[in-house]
Amino acid sequence: MDELVTLYVDVVLPLHLPQYYTYRVPQEYNDGIKVGQRVVVQFGGSKVYSAVVRKVHQQPPGYANVKYIMAILDPQPVVTELQLQFWEWIAQYYMCCVGDVMAVALPSAYRLQSESFIQIHPDFSGEIGNLSQNEIKVLDVLAANTTVKVSDVAKIVDFRKIVPLLKTMIEKKIIIMDEELKQRYTPKTETYLRLNPQYLDPEKGRQLFDSFEGKASSRKQLEVLLKFFQQTDFGKQSIRKNIFTADKDLSASSLKTLIKNGILQTFDQQESRLVDVEKTLSVTTIKLSDQQQQAFDKIDVLNPDAPQVTLVHGVTSSGKTELYIKLINEVVKQGRQVLYLLPEIALTAQIINRLRKYFGKKVGVYHSKFSANERAEVWTKTLNPQTDGYQVLIGARSAMFLPFQNLGLVIVDEEHDSSYKQYEPAPRYHARDASIYLAHRCGAKVVLGTATPSVETYFNATNGKYGLVQMDKRYGDVQMPEICIADMRRNSRQDKVLSNYSKQLTDAIREALQNNEQVIIFQNRRGFSLRLECPTCGWIPTCTHCDVSLVYHKQTNSLRCHYCGYSIPVPAECPQCHNTYLKMRGFGTEKIEDELSIMFPEARIERMDLDSVSSGKNKHADIINRFEDHNIDILVGTQMITKGLDFDNVSVVGIISADNMISFPDFRAFERSFQQMTQVSGRAGRHGKRGIVIIQTYNPAHQVIDYVLRNDYQAMYRNQINERRVFGYPPFAKLIYLTLKHINSSVLDKAAAEFASNLRQVFGNRVVGPEYPMVSRVRNMYIKNIMIRLERAYPLGQAKQEIERQAAQMLNQKEYSRLRIVPDVDPQ
């Protein structure tokens, strides 16, 4: 490229900004600058960020004093053009900024912000005669500290415009940006020991050992060398130094002498932080049933004329995973990549183990429990699948943002699950819907799998938009579980309830334990007690930041807010009437675990919820593995245990309080309660023996209970699709929720009323609200919701533009400057 050409770049910053920003490229970077690279830029007075290059051009912006990029962080792009287009689509569809998408899409190791470091350039001569006073001040600071934050330098030298000064010093090669800025992701290295190659020659080796003979001072060195030869096939191999030195009898000083004398050599070798497993099974060993084979043929992932999206509606334990493995194999043989999305991290452990048996090192895993460096390594290995990279990527919703090079298939398992929806922060995307768009851009097929499809997905499948495959039999013709209803009202009258458990459930648990079988207990509330209450005056401890009661957690003996994390010790008395007898109301998974350990003292009981798995990176996998290995008898959990897990020895599933799910005030509550109860029921009796499911309810005549009892998805779907058609809910309408937040409730009320009025002038009676939600204050911010319900034919893009225009007008008013308006497209 001509050196005299002046280049500019438009960059994406990881900030909530409505536009790209233009920077000038120093001429020495002209030949190296590419779209998708990260560059260091100054934004504002003193902030420094890594940004992603979106466009390289020669068009100067319409303002003076264009800032220069400070450094290029990557020799090659780390974000592809396809990804950048995908980010832009998400930003446009879900009404956010591309910077919001970048902030969640890139691994944290790639997102560098203003806390950047500088240090003295290793080639700096030390000559300060030609330096300015401010440059000398900076050097004085760096002389006392090896590396210093840019923001700290500005404070110490008392110089506000520090970034231009530092840029000049970088150009003069006085200082450099620290490697922590250049690459927070650093490859993992291990130190190895090897024999000096000259001693592999038999004659040289003999001379080496002869040199130790008769020397008492060399005896320990000889012992170390002999031990090294034993562990390295007579010096032909190398060995990790930390493994070799783990022997406590080894003389560390003798090893050091051998290295110093050049007999043994050390060297560093880059290693993966990720576990690679060799495959142990061939996909050809999987024999599909007739039903599975028909599904495989109908999906036909290699046929361009087959449906781009196919719903696999298969009952629990119908063998969907084996079907997926066969489909993955077809795509991998073509050299293309596969994305396998799961709604929960807890599910990944089982699926990973199964896929690695068939695809070995081609399988990569990506989710939030990984460290920053591990996620960055997966990113790199996805970007380079031809060089020992990954072809099959498994993960929760964030895996959708990986830099796929040749995506051929997307599998969205448990597609109905609400965990695919991102709520906070923006972008508030739905991974199922966004991955369908991604697959469309990549020319890839999509398989949506579930036993309980979302109403919207099933509507699309039955109306021809998606392909539809039905799998209505369990693999091996295993019977569906027997589902029994425990009428808690009748049980209470007959004195057949012990604490929160019907006699049917306790008898079934006891019988399962006697037969060395396992039990799953489902309660979709964590904690010990839902609230503490004074029976005298009715006082209930509440969060100081949110309008919710605090939940009692026995393990920490504290009351905790599940919205903001606020926590207090359990009070000894009521602060209002000083009554010392405080009652616990309601119950969560922690209380169930505690009570079952008293009722069944010999049973090994474990709890799986957000509290229990957050204590460690692999805690969820550990619990699942121990349950699989029959080291846990009773597993108590929240919705984590309802999804896709496959256990061969579970004979009893208990649903403790079905009514809590059904009575939730949301138009999807009916559908969701059916899905959760059906899914958790499907964990029973999956291999051989028929299982039993006991649903405890005070309303056994409720329609959704009847549908679960009959395992009748079709009836549930017909009921819901008719209701939504009448009342104008998805799939017959598009919803946009607008959440308004302000620290002052009076200002919020006024702003919400005015905003809703303005919107009605455009959208008429499509605007519903404003209304306070169930929890009307979170983290000291009062909340009001407005819903816009648009018929399918209404131009969605035009509606979003109008909403953004109206929101901008509101926020430009001085009295509403602290108002927040949060849009959520396709809320769940």
Side-chain angles (χ1 to χ4, degrees):
M1 188 176 289
D2 186 352
E3 291 186 3
L4 298 179
V5 170
T6 300
L7 294 181
Y8 296 89
V9 289
D10 295 341
V11 301
V12 185
L13 286 153
L15 303 170
H16 183 71
L17 299 168
Q19 64 192 66
Y20 296 133
Y21 283 80
T22 303
Y23 289 82
R24 188 169 173 177
V25 180
Q27 297 226 336
E28 60 268 28
Y29 293 157
N30 275 14
D31 290 335
I33 195 75
K34 300 182 184 74
V35 170
Q37 287 174 318
R38 291 173 306 141
V39 294
V40 181
V41 298
Q42 177 195 356
F43 186 75
S46 61
K47 297 283 187 180
V48 176
Y49 293 90
S50 65
V52 172
V53 176
R54 181 63 190 98
K55 183 180 179 183
V56 181
H57 57 89
Q58 298 179 35
Q59 184 64 41
Y63 50 85
N65 301 320
V66 183
K67 296 173 184 174
Y68 283 86
I69 63 171
M70 300 173 68
I72 298 176
L73 296 178
D74 311 299
Q76 296 298 328
V78 295
V79 182
T80 67
E81 172 65 27
L82 180 66
Q83 279 180 290
L84 289 166
Q85 293 174 12
F86 186 43
W87 292 3
E88 289 165 342
W89 177 84
I90 287 178
Q92 178 272 325
Y93 187 83
Y94 291 101
M95 297 180 68
C96 63
C97 300
V98 180
D100 296 328
V101 185
M102 174 186 171
V104 301
L106 275 184
S108 59
Y110 284 166
R111 298 195 309 269
L112 313 177
Q113 298 188 2
S114 59
E115 298 307 299
S116 308
F117 289 80
I118 57 170
Q119 63 184 22
I120 296 175
H121 197 293
D123 296 332
F124 177 56
S125 64
E127 176 58 48
I128 61 172
N130 296 323
L131 302 187
S132 69
Q133 196 63 38
N134 285 322
E135 288 172 338
I136 292 172
K137 284 183 181 180
V138 173
L139 277 178
D140 288 342
V141 173
L142 292 174
N145 305 274
T146 307
T147 59
V148 183
K149 291 180 183 177
V150 169
S151 55
D152 289 343
V153 174
K155 293 174 187 175
I156 294 168
V157 303
D158 193 24
F159 190 64
R160 291 186 63 187
K161 294 186 177 180
I162 192 70
V163 172
L165 173 65
L166 296 182
K167 182 178 182 300
T168 303
M169 295 179 74
I170 290 171
E171 290 170 350
K172 292 180 179 179
K173 297 189 176 180
I174 301 168
I175 61 171
I176 59 169
M177 289 281 183
D178 188 271
E179 285 302 313
E180 185 158 351
L181 171 72
K182 287 199 170 184
Q183 191 63 280
R184 245 196 306 190
Y185 164 61
T186 52
K188 179 183 177 183
T189 57
E190 290 287 350
T191 301
Y192 279 75
L193 285 170
R194 66 186 171 204
L195 183 67
N196 188 321
Q198 67 173 308
Y199 296 116
L200 290 173
D201 177 77
E203 181 59 30
K204 292 280 187 181
R206 186 182 61 78
Q207 291 174 9
L208 173 63
F209 278 95
D210 287 347
S211 68
F212 288 108
E213 285 188 8
K215 295 181 181 178
S217 60
S218 302
R219 182 175 57 82
K220 287 192 174 182
Q221 291 180 43
L222 183 59
E223 288 177 1
V224 172
L225 192 59
L226 287 171
K227 195 165 291 185
F228 177 82
F229 270 78
Q230 288 172 1
Q231 297 184 33
T232 60
D233 190 18
F234 298 98
K236 296 174 184 175
Q237 300 169 356
S238 57
I239 185 171
R240 271 172 56 172
K241 187 179 179 182
N242 61 352
I243 293 176
F244 185 63
T245 56
D247 188 341
K248 293 180 180 178
D249 296 329
L250 187 97
S251 170
S253 60
S254 298
L255 174 61
K256 191 174 180 180
T257 302
L258 289 170
I259 295 170
K260 181 180 178 182
N261 293 337
I263 297 169
L264 295 181
Q265 299 176 336
T266 61
F267 66 98
D268 290 336
Q269 184 168 303
Q270 186 173 318
E271 293 194 351
S272 174
R273 291 178 173 85
L274 308 168
V275 177
D276 281 336
V277 179
E278 297 292 341
K279 72 174 187 176
T280 57
L281 297 172
S282 170
V283 178
T284 57
T285 61
I286 297 176
K287 303 301 180 187
L288 299 181
S289 66
D290 291 343
Q291 184 175 244
Q292 288 173 317
Q293 187 62 51
Q294 289 170 10
F296 178 84
D297 294 339
K298 190 170 182 179
I299 295 169
D300 199 2
V301 288
L302 301 184
N303 182 358
D305 296 326
Q308 197 246 328
V309 182
T310 301
L311 169 64
V312 177
H313 181 200
V315 297
T316 55
S317 196
S318 58
K320 292 188 290 293
T321 305
E322 286 76 15
L323 172 64
Y324 298 157
I325 291 170
K326 283 283 193 178
L327 294 170
I328 291 169
N329 189 53
E330 291 296 300
V331 175
V332 168
K333 285 192 299 185
Q334 301 297 313
R336 303 190 73 183
Q337 292 174 302
V338 177
L339 171 60
Y340 194 134
L341 287 178
L342 294 160
E344 293 271 4
I345 294 170
L347 283 174
T348 58
Q350 273 197 332
I351 298 296
I352 291 162
N353 292 337
R354 293 181 74 174
L355 291 188
R356 279 179 170 162
K357 289 177 182 178
Y358 295 101
F359 302 105
K361 292 189 287 187
K362 293 179 181 178
V363 176
V365 186
Y366 191 81
H367 55 62
S368 60
K369 289 290 185 181
F370 275 20
S371 70
N373 277 327
E374 286 173 330
R375 285 168 69 109
E377 189 170 328
V378 175
W379 185 279
T380 302
K381 295 186 80 169
T382 307
L383 192 60
N384 302 292
Q386 271 67 47
T387 56
D388 198 29
Y390 292 135
Q391 278 188 269
V392 183
L393 280 304
I394 309 172
R397 58 178 182 257
S398 59
M400 178 185 69
F401 292 111
L402 285 165
F404 297 99
Q405 293 297 294
N406 190 10
L407 188 62
L409 174 65
V410 175
I411 295 171
V412 184
D413 203 11
E414 310 299 340
E415 67 80 26
H416 66 277
D417 201 285
S418 60
S419 298
Y420 282 122
K421 175 70 173 180
Q422 162 87 1
Y423 293 99
E424 290 292 341
R428 293 167 183 83
Y429 65 94
H430 197 295
R432 176 199 62 210
D433 301 340
S435 65
I436 290 174
Y437 175 81
L438 175 65
H440 169 71
R441 292 303 307 267
C442 296
K445 300 289 187 184
V446 180
V447 173
L448 309 176
T450 177
T452 54
S454 68
V455 169
E456 293 93 324
T457 298
Y458 200 72
F459 178 82
N460 286 333
T462 54
N463 282 276
K465 184 176 180 180
Y466 299 163
L468 176 61
V469 170
Q470 303 273 10
M471 296 172 65
D472 54 6
K473 295 179 183 177
R474 282 188 154 191
Y475 187 77
D477 292 325
V478 174
Q479 284 185 294
M480 296 294 290
E482 177 188 1
I483 300 179
C484 304
I485 303 300
D487 184 343
M488 297 300 285
R489 187 175 284 111
R490 181 187 297 172
N491 272 259
S492 297
R493 287 197 300 265
Q494 297 174 355
D495 199 24
K496 292 183 178 179
V497 176
L498 179 60
S499 183
N500 299 297
Y501 315 97
S502 64
K503 187 174 185 301
Q504 291 142 284
L505 181 57
T506 53
D507 287 350
I509 293 173
R510 189 171 291 108
E511 183 181 349
L513 295 175
Q514 289 171 354
N515 295 333
N516 293 318
E517 295 167 344
Q518 293 170 293
V519 177
I520 287 178
I521 302 296
F522 170 61
Q523 164 70 340
N524 208 22
R525 291 185 183 272
R526 57 193 172 101
F528 189 88
S529 173
L530 300 187
R531 66 186 186 278
L532 210 62
E533 184 178 308
C534 175
T536 304
C537 70
W539 172 79
I540 297 172
T542 58
C543 177
T544 59
H545 311 298
C546 311
D547 286 342
V548 291
S549 57
L550 298 175
V551 178
Y552 173 60
H553 287 256
K554 183 178 180 181
Q555 190 171 5
T556 56
N557 194 34
S558 63
L559 299 172
R560 193 186 312 163
C561 174
H562 286 176
Y563 282 81
C564 71
Y566 172 76
S567 178
I568 60 171
V570 177
E573 62 176 25
C574 172
Q576 293 184 359
C577 68
H578 305 290
N579 174 28
T580 56
Y581 176 61
L582 302 177
K583 292 196 71 174
M584 293 182 186
R585 304 288 190 188
F587 59 96
T589 50
E590 194 176 2
K591 186 174 183 180
I592 293 172
E593 178 189 28
D594 190 65
E595 289 178 338
L596 290 179
S597 65
I598 297 170
M599 295 165 64
F600 304 101
E602 303 300 319
R604 297 164 295 178
I605 303 172
E606 191 76 59
R607 174 168 48 93
M608 188 170 173
D609 57 21
L610 187 62
D611 298 317
S612 65
V613 303
S614 60
S615 58
K617 170 183 168 183
N618 297 313
K619 183 68 175 177
H620 59 284
D622 175 59
I623 294 172
I624 290 171
N625 289 337
R626 287 191 290 117
F627 194 66
E628 275 188 309
D629 296 337
H630 304 174
N631 293 322
I632 298 171
D633 299 313
I634 303 176
L635 181 61
V636 180
T638 56
Q639 62 175 351
M640 285 184 178
I641 63 172
T642 69
K643 309 164 184 178
L645 296 169
D646 186 9
F647 304 115
D648 61 9
N649 195 42
V650 174
S651 62
V652 175
V653 168
I655 299 173
I656 298 298
S657 48
D659 305 312
N660 288 341
M661 295 181 280
I662 299 170
S663 58
F664 194 79
D666 184 270
F667 77 91
R668 286 194 173 92
F670 193 104
E671 172 192 6
R672 290 248 170 88
S673 54
F674 174 86
Q675 289 167 342
Q676 288 191 338
M677 284 188 275
T678 301
Q679 288 285 340
V680 75
S681 299
R683 304 313 113 207
R686 295 173 69 91
H687 295 262
K689 181 181 176 181
R690 188 185 189 192
I692 184 171
V693 179
I694 297 170
I695 301 175
Q696 296 188 165
T697 175
Y698 286 89
N699 188 8
H702 196 285
Q703 237 177 345
V704 74
I705 299 287
D706 179 54
Y707 294 153
V708 173
L709 191 63
R710 294 188 282 120
N711 192 33
D712 195 344
Y713 174 83
Q714 301 293 339
M716 187 281 297
Y717 171 76
R718 288 193 296 272
N719 172 290
Q720 287 299 286
I721 204 71
N722 289 334
E723 276 198 11
R724 295 190 190 186
R725 183 181 286 110
V726 171
F727 293 107
Y729 280 103
F732 302 103
K734 279 286 198 180
L735 300 184
I736 300 176
Y737 280 4
L738 299 168
T739 301
L740 282 70
K741 300 181 181 182
H742 200 282
I743 199 166
N744 185 308
S745 60
S746 300
V747 175
L748 177 66
D749 288 340
K750 183 181 177 184
E754 184 178 328
F755 191 46
S757 175
N758 293 341
L759 290 171
R760 282 194 178 91
Q761 292 178 23
V762 180
F763 298 108
N765 60 6
R766 299 180 182 92
V767 178
V768 180
E771 295 174 349
Y772 280 110
M774 283 179 59
V775 180
S776 58
R777 184 174 63 103
V778 175
R779 295 185 176 90
N780 291 322
M781 297 287 281
Y782 291 92
I783 301 169
K784 270 197 163 180
N785 290 333
I786 296 172
M787 181 176 75
I788 300 179
R789 188 166 49 201
L790 303 168
E791 58 272 23
R792 299 290 295 193
Y794 197 99
L796 188 60
Q798 180 182 319
K800 291 174 189 172
Q801 288 176 6
E802 185 59 37
I803 292 168
E804 288 171 343
R805 189 180 70 82
Q806 296 283 356
Q809 287 181 355
M810 284 289 296
L811 298 176
N812 282 335
Q813 298 179 49
K814 187 175 180 181
E815 63 179 318
Y816 301 140
S817 60
R818 298 181 66 187
L819 178 71
R820 285 191 62 205
I821 301 177
V822 179
D824 185 4
V825 180
D826 299 340
Q828 295 294 305

